[in-house]
Amino acid sequence: MAGPGGEGSAAAAEPEAAPPPMPGLQLVQQGAEARLYRGLFLGRPTMMKLRFPKRYRHPALEERLSRKRTAQEARSLLRCRRAGISTPVVYFVDYTVNCIYLEDIVGSLTVRDHIISVQKSGKDVSSLITVVEKIGEVLARMHDEDLIHGDLTTSNMLLRPPAEKLELVLIDFGLSFISALPEDKGVDLYVLEKAFLSTHPNTEALFEALLKKYSATSKKSAPVIKKLDEVRLRGRKRSMVG
């Protein structure tokens, strides 16, 4: 299973080394919001995501925020699984230290690494159409559940082995929330579009195929795509102003 995505991609807020919260866990990644450990939980391969306190926040506020975000992440993962969307299994949530024990999807590959590998191999990017269509389908189902991921990137999407089966697994719901607003869903797609095109140059046609599949799958896509266009326009205006 990959790291904590957007929450783990920023520079670490507390760079000093920290001992593992329990014996047998190995630090995989430290990000701005959480540390990710790999180990075993009840004999099963597990990723443990631990939110650590931010020293600049009042302790009481920090505790409320961390507990709220931990709870929301766990609820979002369960909400997806109830809707038939593949996410890591939640084994245990410890609210005393604000950590989540999750299924470690051994042998998985991030969609980011898969796309980069195909591009480096010299293959036609059209071979990736089925992958991006799968992304569009899964995100449509997620948004129809009124779940906003909050940090969509190709690093936060895994292909469960064997990759040929195209079982897409969404991870890192640390910034997720519930909203039925087309604006929030449009922004979710805009975040993915910006991340997608910056990470994978010359893939505009692939992202359009993703959106086409999203529109065909979602029962609520029309207002969302309209909001996406509005968000794009706002983004271009900000870029022009500087």
Side-chain angles (χ1 to χ4, degrees):
M1 180 177 166
E7 290 192 300
S9 58
E14 297 190 0
E16 68 271 14
M22 59 183 289
L25 293 178
Q26 293 185 329
L27 181 65
V28 175
Q29 189 172 355
Q30 175 162 319
E33 299 286 338
R35 296 186 184 100
L36 195 68
Y37 296 87
R38 174 175 276 123
L40 293 177
F41 181 74
L42 299 179
R44 292 174 289 191
T46 299
M47 300 297 285
M48 194 271 269
K49 183 174 180 180
L50 173 68
R51 289 185 177 274
F52 52 78
K54 293 297 189 65
R55 294 174 178 171
Y56 59 81
R57 290 193 189 119
H58 187 281
L61 174 61
E62 172 61 36
E63 174 60 26
R64 285 198 301 272
L65 286 174
S66 292
R67 180 169 295 198
K68 180 180 178 182
R69 288 176 179 172
T70 299
Q72 182 57 52
E73 182 164 9
R75 283 196 294 265
S76 295
L77 289 162
L78 295 173
R79 191 182 184 101
C80 278
R81 293 185 67 82
R82 284 198 297 267
I85 299 167
S86 188
T87 62
V89 176
V90 177
Y91 292 145
F92 181 66
V93 183
D94 187 345
Y95 291 110
T96 60
V97 291
N98 295 312
C99 71
I100 305 178
Y101 292 81
L102 299 162
E103 172 191 10
D104 183 5
I105 305 174
V106 179
S108 62
L109 181 71
T110 66
V111 170
R112 175 186 182 276
D113 288 344
H114 178 65
I115 294 176
I116 289 174
S117 175
V118 170
Q119 287 181 311
K120 285 183 175 179
S121 71
K123 295 179 183 177
D124 193 316
V125 293
S126 62
S127 64
L128 293 166
I129 288 291
T130 52
V131 175
V132 297
E133 285 183 340
K134 185 66 175 180
I135 295 171
E137 175 190 335
V138 169
L139 296 185
R141 288 160 57 195
M142 182 185 75
H143 281 172
D144 280 3
E145 292 293 317
D146 293 334
L147 178 59
I148 311 301
H149 184 279
D151 189 24
L152 287 174
T153 70
T154 51
S155 294
N156 286 338
M157 303 171 186
L158 306 181
L159 291 173
R160 189 188 294 270
E164 296 76 23
K165 287 181 63 178
L166 281 184
E167 182 182 347
L168 190 75
V169 183
L170 297 182
I171 64 171
D172 192 10
F173 284 80
L175 299 177
S176 63
F177 60 97
I178 304 300
S179 173
L181 296 177
E183 169 85 11
D184 290 329
K185 297 173 186 179
V187 170
D188 219 21
L189 293 177
Y190 181 70
V191 168
L192 175 60
E193 181 177 41
K194 296 288 284 185
F196 193 101
L197 298 181
S198 64
T199 306
H200 311 292
N202 305 313
T203 54
E204 288 80 4
L206 285 178
F207 197 80
E208 285 305 311
L210 185 159
L211 288 180
K212 184 176 180 181
K213 186 66 173 181
Y214 176 95
S215 298
T217 305
S218 172
K219 301 170 184 175
K220 311 172 184 179
S221 64
V224 175
I225 297 301
K226 181 180 178 181
K227 285 296 181 181
L228 171 60
D229 289 336
E230 293 177 8
V231 174
R232 283 168 168 167
L233 183 59
R234 293 202 299 266
R236 284 196 295 269
K237 285 181 177 178
R238 281 197 297 268
S239 297
M240 290 172 65
V241 173

